[in-house]
Amino acid sequence: MTSPEPAGLPEAPQTGRRLLQRRFTARLLPQLRLLVEECAAREGLPEPRRGEFVLAVDEIAGNAVEHAGGSGQLVLLRVDDELECRVSDAGPGFSEAVIPELLPGLDGAPKGRGLWLARLVADRFAVCAGTSATGTADGDNAGTTVTVAVRLR
């Protein structure tokens, strides 16, 4: 029997076929992009959607490295007709409310578009503070799991 998902996580089946699970640092981001792209291609995600998905995952992983202590964990799943990627970190945590609705950076700032872009291209997107990459509550510990999913069809 599976336990219900913690509050704040996107609604999705608990079951899925794990395609990839990796811990990463800044040095491993290029390899991680290639692995995600290979898995997405193998699962039949067509271009240009595949490129958008890989870009979204890369932006989320890059944010974990930059803002959450230099590392994170990625879990890529096939859940029914979706590719779902969860990126978790052990940083201070944040909520989806900090992601602007409109294109950020119009004030000339060169950064701040990664999570906005990921949410824009995703069919399903969620931010859940205080959780691990597997989506389980992590007690009072900080950290965030960002989930991005795209439909394969």
Side-chain angles (χ1 to χ4, degrees), residues 12 15-16 22-23 33 58 77 83 90 92 106 117 145 150 152:
T15 59
R22 290 282 192 279
R23 293 198 177 279
R33 278 191 300 272
D58 184 54
L77 301 165
L83 279 184
L106 294 178
L117 176 70
T145 296
V150 294
L152 292 165

Side-chain angles (χ1 to χ4, degrees), residues 29 77 101-102 114 126 128 131:
L29 286 176
L77 301 165
E101 290 293 322
L102 301 174
C128 188
T131 58

Side-chain angles (χ1 to χ4, degrees), residues 27-152:
R27 183 179 62 80
L28 298 173
L29 286 176
Q31 178 187 29
L32 193 67
R33 278 191 300 272
L34 289 173
L35 291 169
V36 170
E37 199 280 331
E38 289 171 358
C39 288
R42 191 172 48 246
E43 294 302 310
L45 185 62
E47 285 293 355
R49 200 72 176 122
R50 184 169 60 235
E52 294 170 352
F53 180 69
V54 172
L55 178 62
V57 170
D58 184 54
E59 289 292 338
I60 295 165
N63 277 349
V65 168
E66 184 176 350
H67 301 292
S71 66
Q73 181 173 335
L74 177 142
V75 176
L76 182 63
L77 301 165
R78 168 79 182 254
V79 180
D80 297 327
D81 68 341
E82 287 185 329
L83 279 184
E84 176 184 286
C85 186
R86 292 182 180 207
V87 175
S88 68
D89 61 55
F94 69 98
S95 74
E96 194 170 343
V98 302
I99 304 170
E101 290 293 322
L102 301 174
L103 176 64
L106 294 178
D107 58 358
K111 295 184 176 185
R113 295 181 184 98
L115 291 173
W116 176 84
L117 176 70
R119 184 173 61 193
L120 182 69
V121 304
D123 293 316
R124 188 164 46 86
F125 179 90
V127 175
C128 188
T131 58
S132 70
T134 58
T136 57
D138 208 10
D140 294 328
N141 296 337
T144 303
T145 296
V146 178
T147 301
V148 61
V150 294
R151 285 185 298 278
L152 292 165

